[in-house]
Amino acid sequence: MINLSMLALAAAVFFDSGRTGVASIEQSYQLLAPLMNRELASTLFGFTLLLAGLSSSIVGTMAGQVVMQGFVGFTIPIWLRRLLTMLPAIAVIMLGLPEQQVLVASQVVLSFGIPFALVPLIQFTARRGVMGNLVSRRWVTLLGCVVAGVIILLNGYVLAFELL
């Protein structure tokens, strides 16, 4: 919801003012500030970026915890789990890396992880022994396989033609 709100706000403000070539976070703030109250833009933009980052970190940490504890049976102390999930962001800040390139690279890396979660999810939800009465219908499983296949093909394309 936070990311959707940020996109909706940016789309409304930029489209109404005819600025459709915004390509970076820095540009979006610089263009947003004169179109709104500068102080409001700064506060709103910073707050939504903070919330987006926190929500992503929380979801990633919780998903990792569920997988590790529920499926693998491996647990680590919560303070260590939080530290490990925050280390990449801290490293980016401390090294002063260009945020736009890091953001794009992180999304590419995350997209390669999707099949590793999606394929087992499709398999688990299709098994009556695991899901009981809540087992996925055949068409849902088929649709999930098609979506997973498209994602895997797109990742293959990125790997073959964009990264090499």
Side-chain angles (χ1 to χ4, degrees), residues 72-94:
V72 182
F74 178 72
T75 59
I76 59 174
I78 193 164
W79 66 268
L80 182 59
R81 189 177 332 129
R82 289 179 181 158
L83 178 66
L84 290 174
T85 56
M86 296 303 291
L87 269 178
I90 293 168
V92 166
I93 292 168
M94 297 301 286

mmCIF file with all atom_site columns, all heavy atoms in Angstrom, residues 72-94:
data_model
loop_
_atom_site.group_PDB
_atom_site.id
_atom_site.type_symbol
_atom_site.label_atom_id
_atom_site.label_alt_id
_atom_site.label_comp_id
_atom_site.label_asym_id
_atom_site.label_entity_id
_atom_site.label_seq_id
_atom_site.pdbx_PDB_ins_code
_atom_site.Cartn_x
_atom_site.Cartn_y
_atom_site.Cartn_z
_atom_site.occupancy
_atom_site.B_iso_or_equiv
_atom_site.pdbx_formal_charge
_atom_site.auth_seq_id
_atom_site.auth_comp_id
_atom_site.auth_asym_id
_atom_site.auth_atom_id
_atom_site.pdbx_PDB_model_num
ATOM 1   N N   . VAL A 1 72 ? 12.649 -25.528 7.369  1.00 0.00 ? 72 VAL A N   1
ATOM 2   C CA  . VAL A 1 72 ? 14.016 -26.004 7.538  1.00 0.00 ? 72 VAL A CA  1
ATOM 3   C C   . VAL A 1 72 ? 14.294 -26.404 8.986  1.00 0.00 ? 72 VAL A C   1
ATOM 4   O O   . VAL A 1 72 ? 15.162 -27.221 9.250  1.00 0.00 ? 72 VAL A O   1
ATOM 5   C CB  . VAL A 1 72 ? 15.021 -24.921 7.055  1.00 0.00 ? 72 VAL A CB  1
ATOM 6   C CG1 . VAL A 1 72 ? 16.450 -25.403 7.166  1.00 0.00 ? 72 VAL A CG1 1
ATOM 7   C CG2 . VAL A 1 72 ? 14.706 -24.497 5.636  1.00 0.00 ? 72 VAL A CG2 1
ATOM 8   N N   . GLY A 1 73 ? 13.540 -25.838 9.929  1.00 0.00 ? 73 GLY A N   1
ATOM 9   C CA  . GLY A 1 73 ? 13.747 -26.147 11.339 1.00 0.00 ? 73 GLY A CA  1
ATOM 10  C C   . GLY A 1 73 ? 14.979 -25.484 11.917 1.00 0.00 ? 73 GLY A C   1
ATOM 11  O O   . GLY A 1 73 ? 15.564 -25.958 12.883 1.00 0.00 ? 73 GLY A O   1
ATOM 12  N N   . PHE A 1 74 ? 15.378 -24.351 11.343 1.00 0.00 ? 74 PHE A N   1
ATOM 13  C CA  . PHE A 1 74 ? 16.586 -23.640 11.761 1.00 0.00 ? 74 PHE A CA  1
ATOM 14  C C   . PHE A 1 74 ? 16.175 -22.309 12.371 1.00 0.00 ? 74 PHE A C   1
ATOM 15  O O   . PHE A 1 74 ? 15.379 -21.581 11.802 1.00 0.00 ? 74 PHE A O   1
ATOM 16  C CB  . PHE A 1 74 ? 17.475 -23.410 10.535 1.00 0.00 ? 74 PHE A CB  1
ATOM 17  C CG  . PHE A 1 74 ? 18.732 -22.654 10.816 1.00 0.00 ? 74 PHE A CG  1
ATOM 18  C CD1 . PHE A 1 74 ? 19.776 -23.239 11.509 1.00 0.00 ? 74 PHE A CD1 1
ATOM 19  C CD2 . PHE A 1 74 ? 18.866 -21.337 10.382 1.00 0.00 ? 74 PHE A CD2 1
ATOM 20  C CE1 . PHE A 1 74 ? 20.941 -22.533 11.765 1.00 0.00 ? 74 PHE A CE1 1
ATOM 21  C CE2 . PHE A 1 74 ? 20.024 -20.620 10.636 1.00 0.00 ? 74 PHE A CE2 1
ATOM 22  C CZ  . PHE A 1 74 ? 21.066 -21.224 11.329 1.00 0.00 ? 74 PHE A CZ  1
ATOM 23  N N   . THR A 1 75 ? 16.694 -21.988 13.538 1.00 0.00 ? 75 THR A N   1
ATOM 24  C CA  . THR A 1 75 ? 16.369 -20.703 14.167 1.00 0.00 ? 75 THR A CA  1
ATOM 25  C C   . THR A 1 75 ? 17.656 -19.963 14.512 1.00 0.00 ? 75 THR A C   1
ATOM 26  O O   . THR A 1 75 ? 18.679 -20.573 14.815 1.00 0.00 ? 75 THR A O   1
ATOM 27  C CB  . THR A 1 75 ? 15.551 -20.891 15.470 1.00 0.00 ? 75 THR A CB  1
ATOM 28  O OG1 . THR A 1 75 ? 16.299 -21.682 16.381 1.00 0.00 ? 75 THR A OG1 1
ATOM 29  C CG2 . THR A 1 75 ? 14.217 -21.551 15.187 1.00 0.00 ? 75 THR A CG2 1
ATOM 30  N N   . ILE A 1 76 ? 17.576 -18.638 14.449 1.00 0.00 ? 76 ILE A N   1
ATOM 31  C CA  . ILE A 1 76 ? 18.673 -17.779 14.892 1.00 0.00 ? 76 ILE A CA  1
ATOM 32  C C   . ILE A 1 76 ? 18.065 -16.691 15.772 1.00 0.00 ? 76 ILE A C   1
ATOM 33  O O   . ILE A 1 76 ? 16.876 -16.373 15.635 1.00 0.00 ? 76 ILE A O   1
ATOM 34  C CB  . ILE A 1 76 ? 19.460 -17.159 13.708 1.00 0.00 ? 76 ILE A CB  1
ATOM 35  C CG1 . ILE A 1 76 ? 18.552 -16.308 12.808 1.00 0.00 ? 76 ILE A CG1 1
ATOM 36  C CG2 . ILE A 1 76 ? 20.146 -18.213 12.889 1.00 0.00 ? 76 ILE A CG2 1
ATOM 37  C CD1 . ILE A 1 76 ? 19.294 -15.557 11.721 1.00 0.00 ? 76 ILE A CD1 1
ATOM 38  N N   . PRO A 1 77 ? 18.844 -16.117 16.668 1.00 0.00 ? 77 PRO A N   1
ATOM 39  C CA  . PRO A 1 77 ? 18.308 -15.066 17.544 1.00 0.00 ? 77 PRO A CA  1
ATOM 40  C C   . PRO A 1 77 ? 17.757 -13.895 16.720 1.00 0.00 ? 77 PRO A C   1
ATOM 41  O O   . PRO A 1 77 ? 18.296 -13.552 15.663 1.00 0.00 ? 77 PRO A O   1
ATOM 42  C CB  . PRO A 1 77 ? 19.523 -14.626 18.362 1.00 0.00 ? 77 PRO A CB  1
ATOM 43  C CG  . PRO A 1 77 ? 20.497 -15.742 18.257 1.00 0.00 ? 77 PRO A CG  1
ATOM 44  C CD  . PRO A 1 77 ? 20.243 -16.414 16.941 1.00 0.00 ? 77 PRO A CD  1
ATOM 45  N N   . ILE A 1 78 ? 16.705 -13.288 17.231 1.00 0.00 ? 78 ILE A N   1
ATOM 46  C CA  . ILE A 1 78 ? 16.026 -12.216 16.499 1.00 0.00 ? 78 ILE A CA  1
ATOM 47  C C   . ILE A 1 78 ? 16.956 -11.040 16.235 1.00 0.00 ? 78 ILE A C   1
ATOM 48  O O   . ILE A 1 78 ? 16.908 -10.429 15.165 1.00 0.00 ? 78 ILE A O   1
ATOM 49  C CB  . ILE A 1 78 ? 14.734 -11.778 17.218 1.00 0.00 ? 78 ILE A CB  1
ATOM 50  C CG1 . ILE A 1 78 ? 13.898 -10.916 16.272 1.00 0.00 ? 78 ILE A CG1 1
ATOM 51  C CG2 . ILE A 1 78 ? 15.028 -11.086 18.517 1.00 0.00 ? 78 ILE A CG2 1
ATOM 52  C CD1 . ILE A 1 78 ? 12.474 -10.745 16.696 1.00 0.00 ? 78 ILE A CD1 1
ATOM 53  N N   . TRP A 1 79 ? 17.830 -10.699 17.187 1.00 0.00 ? 79 TRP A N   1
ATOM 54  C CA  . TRP A 1 79 ? 18.740 -9.569  16.982 1.00 0.00 ? 79 TRP A CA  1
ATOM 55  C C   . TRP A 1 79 ? 19.688 -9.842  15.824 1.00 0.00 ? 79 TRP A C   1
ATOM 56  O O   . TRP A 1 79 ? 19.988 -8.943  15.036 1.00 0.00 ? 79 TRP A O   1
ATOM 57  C CB  . TRP A 1 79 ? 19.517 -9.242  18.256 1.00 0.00 ? 79 TRP A CB  1
ATOM 58  C CG  . TRP A 1 79 ? 20.474 -10.318 18.679 1.00 0.00 ? 79 TRP A CG  1
ATOM 59  C CD1 . TRP A 1 79 ? 20.238 -11.354 19.530 1.00 0.00 ? 79 TRP A CD1 1
ATOM 60  C CD2 . TRP A 1 79 ? 21.825 -10.480 18.224 1.00 0.00 ? 79 TRP A CD2 1
ATOM 61  N NE1 . TRP A 1 79 ? 21.352 -12.149 19.642 1.00 0.00 ? 79 TRP A NE1 1
ATOM 62  C CE2 . TRP A 1 79 ? 22.345 -11.638 18.851 1.00 0.00 ? 79 TRP A CE2 1
ATOM 63  C CE3 . TRP A 1 79 ? 22.650 -9.765  17.353 1.00 0.00 ? 79 TRP A CE3 1
ATOM 64  C CZ2 . TRP A 1 79 ? 23.640 -12.088 18.641 1.00 0.00 ? 79 TRP A CZ2 1
ATOM 65  C CZ3 . TRP A 1 79 ? 23.942 -10.217 17.145 1.00 0.00 ? 79 TRP A CZ3 1
ATOM 66  C CH2 . TRP A 1 79 ? 24.429 -11.359 17.776 1.00 0.00 ? 79 TRP A CH2 1
ATOM 67  N N   . LEU A 1 80 ? 20.142 -11.091 15.665 1.00 0.00 ? 80 LEU A N   1
ATOM 68  C CA  . LEU A 1 80 ? 21.037 -11.449 14.575 1.00 0.00 ? 80 LEU A CA  1
ATOM 69  C C   . LEU A 1 80 ? 20.285 -11.432 13.240 1.00 0.00 ? 80 LEU A C   1
ATOM 70  O O   . LEU A 1 80 ? 20.805 -10.959 12.226 1.00 0.00 ? 80 LEU A O   1
ATOM 71  C CB  . LEU A 1 80 ? 21.652 -12.830 14.822 1.00 0.00 ? 80 LEU A CB  1
ATOM 72  C CG  . LEU A 1 80 ? 22.643 -13.331 13.783 1.00 0.00 ? 80 LEU A CG  1
ATOM 73  C CD1 . LEU A 1 80 ? 23.825 -12.369 13.656 1.00 0.00 ? 80 LEU A CD1 1
ATOM 74  C CD2 . LEU A 1 80 ? 23.136 -14.728 14.148 1.00 0.00 ? 80 LEU A CD2 1
ATOM 75  N N   . ARG A 1 81 ? 19.045 -11.910 13.254 1.00 0.00 ? 81 ARG A N   1
ATOM 76  C CA  . ARG A 1 81 ? 18.215 -11.902 12.046 1.00 0.00 ? 81 ARG A CA  1
ATOM 77  C C   . ARG A 1 81 ? 18.002 -10.469 11.564 1.00 0.00 ? 81 ARG A C   1
ATOM 78  O O   . ARG A 1 81 ? 18.125 -10.166 10.378 1.00 0.00 ? 81 ARG A O   1
ATOM 79  C CB  . ARG A 1 81 ? 16.879 -12.571 12.355 1.00 0.00 ? 81 ARG A CB  1
ATOM 80  C CG  . ARG A 1 81 ? 16.023 -12.832 11.169 1.00 0.00 ? 81 ARG A CG  1
ATOM 81  C CD  . ARG A 1 81 ? 14.738 -13.570 11.513 1.00 0.00 ? 81 ARG A CD  1
ATOM 82  N NE  . ARG A 1 81 ? 14.833 -14.418 12.677 1.00 0.00 ? 81 ARG A NE  1
ATOM 83  C CZ  . ARG A 1 81 ? 13.974 -14.387 13.690 1.00 0.00 ? 81 ARG A CZ  1
ATOM 84  N NH1 . ARG A 1 81 ? 12.948 -13.567 13.671 1.00 0.00 ? 81 ARG A NH1 1
ATOM 85  N NH2 . ARG A 1 81 ? 14.117 -15.185 14.723 1.00 0.00 ? 81 ARG A NH2 1
ATOM 86  N N   . ARG A 1 82 ? 17.690 -9.587  12.484 1.00 0.00 ? 82 ARG A N   1
ATOM 87  C CA  . ARG A 1 82 ? 17.480 -8.178  12.114 1.00 0.00 ? 82 ARG A CA  1
ATOM 88  C C   . ARG A 1 82 ? 18.760 -7.539  11.597 1.00 0.00 ? 82 ARG A C   1
ATOM 89  O O   . ARG A 1 82 ? 18.743 -6.779  10.632 1.00 0.00 ? 82 ARG A O   1
ATOM 90  C CB  . ARG A 1 82 ? 16.933 -7.410  13.305 1.00 0.00 ? 82 ARG A CB  1
ATOM 91  C CG  . ARG A 1 82 ? 15.514 -7.777  13.631 1.00 0.00 ? 82 ARG A CG  1
ATOM 92  C CD  . ARG A 1 82 ? 14.993 -7.031  14.817 1.00 0.00 ? 82 ARG A CD  1
ATOM 93  N NE  . ARG A 1 82 ? 13.630 -7.434  15.108 1.00 0.00 ? 82 ARG A NE  1
ATOM 94  C CZ  . ARG A 1 82 ? 13.055 -7.288  16.272 1.00 0.00 ? 82 ARG A CZ  1
ATOM 95  N NH1 . ARG A 1 82 ? 13.720 -6.734  17.277 1.00 0.00 ? 82 ARG A NH1 1
ATOM 96  N NH2 . ARG A 1 82 ? 11.816 -7.676  16.468 1.00 0.00 ? 82 ARG A NH2 1
ATOM 97  N N   . LEU A 1 83 ? 19.872 -7.842  12.242 1.00 0.00 ? 83 LEU A N   1
ATOM 98  C CA  . LEU A 1 83 ? 21.159 -7.300  11.806 1.00 0.00 ? 83 LEU A CA  1
ATOM 99  C C   . LEU A 1 83 ? 21.498 -7.773  10.391 1.00 0.00 ? 83 LEU A C   1
ATOM 100 O O   . LEU A 1 83 ? 21.902 -6.976  9.546  1.00 0.00 ? 83 LEU A O   1
ATOM 101 C CB  . LEU A 1 83 ? 22.263 -7.706  12.781 1.00 0.00 ? 83 LEU A CB  1
ATOM 102 C CG  . LEU A 1 83 ? 23.674 -7.240  12.409 1.00 0.00 ? 83 LEU A CG  1
ATOM 103 C CD1 . LEU A 1 83 ? 23.763 -5.715  12.470 1.00 0.00 ? 83 LEU A CD1 1
ATOM 104 C CD2 . LEU A 1 83 ? 24.699 -7.878  13.326 1.00 0.00 ? 83 LEU A CD2 1
ATOM 105 N N   . LEU A 1 84 ? 21.317 -9.054  10.140 1.00 0.00 ? 84 LEU A N   1
ATOM 106 C CA  . LEU A 1 84 ? 21.643 -9.615  8.821  1.00 0.00 ? 84 LEU A CA  1
ATOM 107 C C   . LEU A 1 84 ? 20.766 -9.032  7.718  1.00 0.00 ? 84 LEU A C   1
ATOM 108 O O   . LEU A 1 84 ? 21.229 -8.823  6.595  1.00 0.00 ? 84 LEU A O   1
ATOM 109 C CB  . LEU A 1 84 ? 21.522 -11.138 8.841  1.00 0.00 ? 84 LEU A CB  1
ATOM 110 C CG  . LEU A 1 84 ? 22.581 -11.875 9.658  1.00 0.00 ? 84 LEU A CG  1
ATOM 111 C CD1 . LEU A 1 84 ? 22.266 -13.363 9.727  1.00 0.00 ? 84 LEU A CD1 1
ATOM 112 C CD2 . LEU A 1 84 ? 23.971 -11.638 9.090  1.00 0.00 ? 84 LEU A CD2 1
ATOM 113 N N   . THR A 1 85 ? 19.499 -8.761  8.018  1.00 0.00 ? 85 THR A N   1
ATOM 114 C CA  . THR A 1 85 ? 18.622 -8.208  6.987  1.00 0.00 ? 85 THR A CA  1
ATOM 115 C C   . THR A 1 85 ? 18.886 -6.721  6.750  1.00 0.00 ? 85 THR A C   1
ATOM 116 O O   . THR A 1 85 ? 18.587 -6.215  5.668  1.00 0.00 ? 85 THR A O   1
ATOM 117 C CB  . THR A 1 85 ? 17.131 -8.405  7.329  1.00 0.00 ? 85 THR A CB  1
ATOM 118 O OG1 . THR A 1 85 ? 16.858 -7.826  8.602  1.00 0.00 ? 85 THR A OG1 1
ATOM 119 C CG2 . THR A 1 85 ? 16.776 -9.881  7.332  1.00 0.00 ? 85 THR A CG2 1
ATOM 120 N N   . MET A 1 86 ? 19.454 -6.035  7.735  1.00 0.00 ? 86 MET A N   1
ATOM 121 C CA  . MET A 1 86 ? 19.732 -4.608  7.572  1.00 0.00 ? 86 MET A CA  1
ATOM 122 C C   . MET A 1 86 ? 21.137 -4.323  7.041  1.00 0.00 ? 86 MET A C   1
ATOM 123 O O   . MET A 1 86 ? 21.413 -3.227  6.570  1.00 0.00 ? 86 MET A O   1
ATOM 124 C CB  . MET A 1 86 ? 19.526 -3.872  8.902  1.00 0.00 ? 86 MET A CB  1
ATOM 125 C CG  . MET A 1 86 ? 18.089 -3.902  9.410  1.00 0.00 ? 86 MET A CG  1
ATOM 126 S SD  . MET A 1 86 ? 16.896 -3.236  8.241  1.00 0.00 ? 86 MET A SD  1
ATOM 127 C CE  . MET A 1 86 ? 17.327 -1.536  8.243  1.00 0.00 ? 86 MET A CE  1
ATOM 128 N N   . LEU A 1 87 ? 22.032 -5.311  7.110  1.00 0.00 ? 87 LEU A N   1
ATOM 129 C CA  . LEU A 1 87 ? 23.419 -5.103  6.687  1.00 0.00 ? 87 LEU A CA  1
ATOM 130 C C   . LEU A 1 87 ? 23.565 -4.600  5.250  1.00 0.00 ? 87 LEU A C   1
ATOM 131 O O   . LEU A 1 87 ? 24.352 -3.681  5.012  1.00 0.00 ? 87 LEU A O   1
ATOM 132 C CB  . LEU A 1 87 ? 24.236 -6.374  6.879  1.00 0.00 ? 87 LEU A CB  1
ATOM 133 C CG  . LEU A 1 87 ? 24.930 -6.502  8.230  1.00 0.00 ? 87 LEU A CG  1
ATOM 134 C CD1 . LEU A 1 87 ? 25.665 -7.830  8.331  1.00 0.00 ? 87 LEU A CD1 1
ATOM 135 C CD2 . LEU A 1 87 ? 25.859 -5.347  8.488  1.00 0.00 ? 87 LEU A CD2 1
ATOM 136 N N   . PRO A 1 88 ? 22.844 -5.157  4.282  1.00 0.00 ? 88 PRO A N   1
ATOM 137 C CA  . PRO A 1 88 ? 23.005 -4.630  2.916  1.00 0.00 ? 88 PRO A CA  1
ATOM 138 C C   . PRO A 1 88 ? 22.679 -3.134  2.812  1.00 0.00 ? 88 PRO A C   1
ATOM 139 O O   . PRO A 1 88 ? 23.408 -2.380  2.174  1.00 0.00 ? 88 PRO A O   1
ATOM 140 C CB  . PRO A 1 88 ? 22.041 -5.471  2.084  1.00 0.00 ? 88 PRO A CB  1
ATOM 141 C CG  . PRO A 1 88 ? 21.883 -6.739  2.849  1.00 0.00 ? 88 PRO A CG  1
ATOM 142 C CD  . PRO A 1 88 ? 21.984 -6.343  4.287  1.00 0.00 ? 88 PRO A CD  1
ATOM 143 N N   . ALA A 1 89 ? 21.596 -2.705  3.455  1.00 0.00 ? 89 ALA A N   1
ATOM 144 C CA  . ALA A 1 89 ? 21.225 -1.287  3.406  1.00 0.00 ? 89 ALA A CA  1
ATOM 145 C C   . ALA A 1 89 ? 22.269 -0.421  4.100  1.00 0.00 ? 89 ALA A C   1
ATOM 146 O O   . ALA A 1 89 ? 22.639 0.650   3.601  1.00 0.00 ? 89 ALA A O   1
ATOM 147 C CB  . ALA A 1 89 ? 19.857 -1.082  4.050  1.00 0.00 ? 89 ALA A CB  1
ATOM 148 N N   . ILE A 1 90 ? 22.757 -0.885  5.227  1.00 0.00 ? 90 ILE A N   1
ATOM 149 C CA  . ILE A 1 90 ? 23.789 -0.136  5.955  1.00 0.00 ? 90 ILE A CA  1
ATOM 150 C C   . ILE A 1 90 ? 25.059 -0.038  5.115  1.00 0.00 ? 90 ILE A C   1
ATOM 151 O O   . ILE A 1 90 ? 25.691 1.023   5.047  1.00 0.00 ? 90 ILE A O   1
ATOM 152 C CB  . ILE A 1 90 ? 24.059 -0.785  7.327  1.00 0.00 ? 90 ILE A CB  1
ATOM 153 C CG1 . ILE A 1 90 ? 22.823 -0.641  8.217  1.00 0.00 ? 90 ILE A CG1 1
ATOM 154 C CG2 . ILE A 1 90 ? 25.279 -0.178  7.997  1.00 0.00 ? 90 ILE A CG2 1
ATOM 155 C CD1 . ILE A 1 90 ? 22.855 -1.480  9.476  1.00 0.00 ? 90 ILE A CD1 1
ATOM 156 N N   . ALA A 1 91 ? 25.428 -1.129  4.452  1.00 0.00 ? 91 ALA A N   1
ATOM 157 C CA  . ALA A 1 91 ? 26.629 -1.135  3.606  1.00 0.00 ? 91 ALA A CA  1
ATOM 158 C C   . ALA A 1 91 ? 26.488 -0.139  2.453  1.00 0.00 ? 91 ALA A C   1
ATOM 159 O O   . ALA A 1 91 ? 27.430 0.603   2.144  1.00 0.00 ? 91 ALA A O   1
ATOM 160 C CB  . ALA A 1 91 ? 26.887 -2.531  3.064  1.00 0.00 ? 91 ALA A CB  1
ATOM 161 N N   . VAL A 1 92 ? 25.315 -0.093  1.827  1.00 0.00 ? 92 VAL A N   1
ATOM 162 C CA  . VAL A 1 92 ? 25.085 0.850   0.721  1.00 0.00 ? 92 VAL A CA  1
ATOM 163 C C   . VAL A 1 92 ? 25.239 2.282   1.209  1.00 0.00 ? 92 VAL A C   1
ATOM 164 O O   . VAL A 1 92 ? 25.881 3.108   0.567  1.00 0.00 ? 92 VAL A O   1
ATOM 165 C CB  . VAL A 1 92 ? 23.684 0.625   0.091  1.00 0.00 ? 92 VAL A CB  1
ATOM 166 C CG1 . VAL A 1 92 ? 23.283 1.771   -0.810 1.00 0.00 ? 92 VAL A CG1 1
ATOM 167 C CG2 . VAL A 1 92 ? 23.664 -0.694  -0.663 1.00 0.00 ? 92 VAL A CG2 1
ATOM 168 N N   . ILE A 1 93 ? 24.673 2.576   2.373  1.00 0.00 ? 93 ILE A N   1
ATOM 169 C CA  . ILE A 1 93 ? 24.762 3.935   2.931  1.00 0.00 ? 93 ILE A CA  1
ATOM 170 C C   . ILE A 1 93 ? 26.203 4.277   3.290  1.00 0.00 ? 93 ILE A C   1
ATOM 171 O O   . ILE A 1 93 ? 26.711 5.344   2.939  1.00 0.00 ? 93 ILE A O   1
ATOM 172 C CB  . ILE A 1 93 ? 23.841 4.067   4.164  1.00 0.00 ? 93 ILE A CB  1
ATOM 173 C CG1 . ILE A 1 93 ? 22.374 3.980   3.735  1.00 0.00 ? 93 ILE A CG1 1
ATOM 174 C CG2 . ILE A 1 93 ? 24.108 5.364   4.902  1.00 0.00 ? 93 ILE A CG2 1
ATOM 175 C CD1 . ILE A 1 93 ? 21.406 3.801   4.877  1.00 0.00 ? 93 ILE A CD1 1
ATOM 176 N N   . MET A 1 94 ? 26.891 3.361   3.968  1.00 0.00 ? 94 MET A N   1
ATOM 177 C CA  . MET A 1 94 ? 28.255 3.622   4.425  1.00 0.00 ? 94 MET A CA  1
ATOM 178 C C   . MET A 1 94 ? 29.243 3.750   3.264  1.00 0.00 ? 94 MET A C   1
ATOM 179 O O   . MET A 1 94 ? 30.176 4.537   3.331  1.00 0.00 ? 94 MET A O   1
ATOM 180 C CB  . MET A 1 94 ? 28.721 2.517   5.377  1.00 0.00 ? 94 MET A CB  1
ATOM 181 C CG  . MET A 1 94 ? 27.916 2.414   6.657  1.00 0.00 ? 94 MET A CG  1
ATOM 182 S SD  . MET A 1 94 ? 27.924 3.912   7.649  1.00 0.00 ? 94 MET A SD  1
ATOM 183 C CE  . MET A 1 94 ? 29.568 3.862   8.304  1.00 0.00 ? 94 MET A CE  1
#
